[in-house]
Amino acid sequence: MPIIGIIASARPKAPAIPTAGYVAQGTSGINKFEFPSDTKTVMGVALSGNTQAVGWANGAVAGYFGAEYGTSTGLIDKYTQPSFTKSTLATTMGFATEGWGACSNNGTAAYWGGGYDNVEAPGNPKNVYKLLYSNDTRSIISSGTYGGNYKSGCSNGTTAGYLLRGSPSSGSTVDKITFSNDTMSTISATLSANVYSRAAFANGTTAGYWAGGQPGYVSTINKLTFSGETTSTLAATLSTVRHGASGYSNSGTAGYAAGGADAVPLSGIDKIAYSNDTRTTLSATLSTGLNFPGAFAV
């Protein structure tokens, strides 16, 4: 009598979650901060060029740093987990400038837009770009209308991304990318002031945060509650006024604003506890002061 074998179907694995935040600018080495201890190590790998950077992540699969001004402007470095193996994409950021804002639809695509349009970077087409994670190719989802002068962004899970405009006249305006159809709109709620160059991070599908900014150098932290797209200002503030900080998130636990500058580049990192929106400052610092670094968590 034949033996009938029973093949057990594999149980689906729980989605991987980020285990550390990474902050980088230039070739000085990537700063890694472990969750939940916030202990720091400096990785033996750095960005491809001596540049400012914008960062984003595809969940816990891979992190990306896009180069801004400096050597190798426009290159995109990819760091694949779990080995944090670095590769440089064939595609680039699309325009040689600085001041990008980025967000991620984990598992599907990254989005970025913005950058300056001035004597240093004339002719900015004001595109919003999309990078498919399946093959790391780039396309344009919007041109001319929405793409100018973003400086920071965050995501509501796999539903939508939010990019904060970045000029003294529009720094309180938030534009939204609906991931299901790549359409863009402007939400009715605004942040508390027209300041830009803020750090941004998000607590999963609950809320996004923007911290610091300029002109005038501020320490304010604004919160966007995703469920109703309403904004508020936290009672807590950053430990010092700063602009050009970068944000990363240990979703469900805390968000972080790293680096930036007031009169000089800063190395401190502030931590916002999501449970009560209070701020503490890490004892660990960046290896050097970094103004406009990139950051992500994987």
Side-chain angles (χ1 to χ4, degrees):
M1 183 174 180
I3 299 174
I4 301 175
I6 300 175
I7 301 175
S9 60
R11 293 181 180 178
K13 293 182 179 179
I17 59 174
T19 58
Y22 298 82
V23 186
Q25 180 187 5
T27 57
S28 59
I30 298 172
N31 289 247
K32 176 183 179 180
F33 296 88
E34 296 278 357
F35 299 146
S37 65
D38 295 325
T39 54
K40 182 192 77 175
T41 56
V42 178
M43 308 290 289
V45 62
L47 305 187
S48 292
N50 188 23
T51 66
Q52 297 176 6
V54 59
W56 67 87
N58 177 15
V61 176
Y64 296 76
F65 284 122
E68 297 185 339
Y69 272 148
T71 307
S72 304
T73 296
L75 291 182
I76 301 174
D77 289 336
K78 179 179 180 179
Y79 300 84
T80 303
Q81 292 289 72
S83 59
F84 208 72
T85 302
K86 174 185 172 182
S87 58
T88 300
L89 304 191
T91 193
T92 64
M93 295 294 290
F95 183 72
T97 186
E98 63 178 327
W100 296 109
C103 57
S104 178
N105 179 7
N106 288 339
T108 302
Y111 299 79
W112 66 84
Y116 292 117
D117 183 5
N118 54 22
V119 294
E120 296 175 313
N124 187 339
K126 297 183 179 179
N127 293 332
V128 177
Y129 297 97
K130 177 179 181 178
L131 181 81
L132 282 176
Y133 290 138
S134 60
N135 56 12
D136 287 330
T137 57
R138 189 195 73 220
S139 60
I140 296 171
I141 68 163
S142 177
S143 185
T145 302
Y146 288 99
N149 277 333
Y150 296 124
K151 297 295 188 298
S152 54
C154 61
S155 300
N156 174 8
T158 58
T159 299
Y162 296 85
L163 300 177
L164 177 66
R165 295 190 189 183
S167 71
S169 61
S170 64
S172 63
T173 302
V174 180
D175 291 334
K176 176 181 180 179
I177 304 170
T178 300
F179 291 147
S180 61
N181 55 13
D182 288 345
T183 56
M184 297 198 65
S185 58
T186 301
I187 68 172
S188 58
T190 59
L191 302 190
S192 60
N194 282 324
V195 296
Y196 55 99
S197 299
R198 310 190 201 200
F201 46 87
N203 179 17
T205 59
T206 301
Y209 296 76
W210 281 271
Q214 63 174 336
Y217 300 146
V218 300
S219 59
T220 305
I221 305 170
N222 287 158
K223 179 177 181 177
L224 171 66
T225 301
F226 293 141
S227 60
E229 292 186 339
T230 56
T231 57
S232 57
T233 301
L234 301 194
T237 63
L238 297 179
S239 57
T240 182
V241 296
R242 67 181 70 190
H243 79 286
S246 195
Y248 63 92
S249 179
N250 181 7
S251 190
T253 302
Y256 300 78
D262 46 23
V264 296
L266 301 172
S267 61
I269 301 174
D270 286 342
K271 178 178 182 178
I272 308 301
Y274 292 140
S275 61
N276 56 9
D277 287 338
T278 56
R279 188 265 307 159
T280 55
T281 300
L282 302 194
S283 57
T285 63
L286 300 173
S287 54
T288 187
L290 298 178
N291 189 22
F292 293 104
F296 57 72
V298 292

